[in-house]
Amino acid sequence: FKQKTAYEMLRSLVGSEMCIRDRSKGFADLIKAINKLGDQAPLIKIAGTGPQKSQLQQLIKQFNLTKKIQLLGQKDKTELTQLIANCKFVCLPTRVHETFSLAALESLAYGKPIIASRTGALPELITDKENGLLIEPNNIDELASAIIKLQDNNLCHQLSLKAKESATNKKYSPQFHLQSILKAYSLVKK
């Protein structure tokens, strides 16, 4: 068993390689939201590969979005770093409860605001209108609205500053994590 680095786990501006394999990650919702936006839609890039890729390609063609959504395939660490560094924001429209999102934390570390579903641990990382925008899972209209909001350069810049600040918060440091685990063990021990 080889431990993956954080960058190896992160596979996309809008999700990971696993995301394309998993319908619950909300890529179809993202495509539908981009379709709703028409000419107002930004260019969306999705990196990764898996069984869902052909279904997503069909949906992109069905909505005639080939100029608005790019499926990039699998990317290596360097390419992913470059994609994140060059994007305006990251979108994590998952439909299900998730535990801690390393993709979200890494995106915040790059100073990228995040549009994320209000589910699982994502609201612990993303504070609505502070370092990103929270939406209800499966809500395509709300997702489309959030994408439009982040087209505002002033808002996006404000959220970017807070994004980087929130990712470098000491509560995500190894020392803080260790202290939290030791505290939990001591409470169980009593």
Side-chain angles (χ1 to χ4, degrees):
F1 176 73
K2 180 184 176 250
Q3 180 104 19
K4 289 185 176 184
T5 67
Y7 290 111
E8 288 171 327
M9 289 184 228
L10 181 64
R11 293 283 184 225
S12 170
L13 298 179
V14 292
S16 70
E17 179 181 11
M18 180 184 354
C19 291
I20 292 183
R21 290 186 192 136
D22 188 345
R23 292 181 197 176
S24 66
K25 298 296 184 174
F27 282 114
D29 291 346
L30 178 61
I31 293 167
K32 291 173 185 174
I34 294 300
N35 184 54
K36 278 188 160 288
L37 295 177
D39 292 337
Q40 294 180 311
L43 174 64
I44 299 293
K45 296 180 181 183
I46 302 172
T49 189
Q52 291 294 310
K53 187 174 181 178
S54 64
Q55 291 171 326
L56 296 177
Q57 286 172 324
Q58 288 175 337
L59 197 55
I60 291 166
K61 286 179 186 173
Q62 175 187 334
F63 291 136
N64 195 27
L65 294 172
T66 55
K67 293 183 181 177
K68 290 287 185 181
I69 301 175
Q70 298 175 354
L71 297 180
L72 304 175
Q74 189 166 341
K75 298 294 175 190
D76 65 26
K77 174 183 173 179
T78 304
E79 293 168 315
L80 288 173
T81 301
Q82 195 65 38
L83 283 169
I84 295 167
N86 291 329
C87 76
K88 189 170 184 175
F89 60 88
V90 173
C91 189
L92 301 170
T94 186
R95 295 176 174 181
V96 296
H97 179 90
E98 290 196 36
T99 57
F100 187 83
S101 174
L102 186 58
L105 184 59
E106 287 185 334
S107 298
L108 291 172
Y110 278 98
K112 302 305 174 181
I114 298 175
I115 298 172
S117 296
R118 190 178 277 110
T119 186
L122 287 170
E124 294 176 34
L125 292 167
I126 311 304
T127 303
D128 194 37
K129 299 180 184 113
E130 186 174 310
N131 61 357
L133 300 173
L134 290 172
I135 60 168
E136 292 304 318
N138 303 311
N139 191 325
I140 294 164
D141 291 332
E142 200 174 357
L143 177 55
S145 176
I147 291 168
I148 287 296
K149 287 176 184 172
L150 286 184
Q151 295 306 305
D152 176 336
N153 289 329
N154 290 329
L155 175 61
C156 197
H157 178 70
Q158 289 172 347
L159 297 177
S160 291
L161 294 174
K162 291 288 188 175
K164 189 160 193 150
E165 183 182 307
S166 66
T168 56
N169 185 323
K170 70 178 187 178
K171 74 179 181 179
Y172 301 118
S173 73
Q175 296 80 11
F176 183 85
H177 184 67
L178 176 61
Q179 290 304 317
S180 297
I181 290 171
L182 292 174
K183 183 178 178 183
Y185 281 135
S186 71
L187 291 173
V188 171
K189 186 178 176 183
K190 291 179 183 182

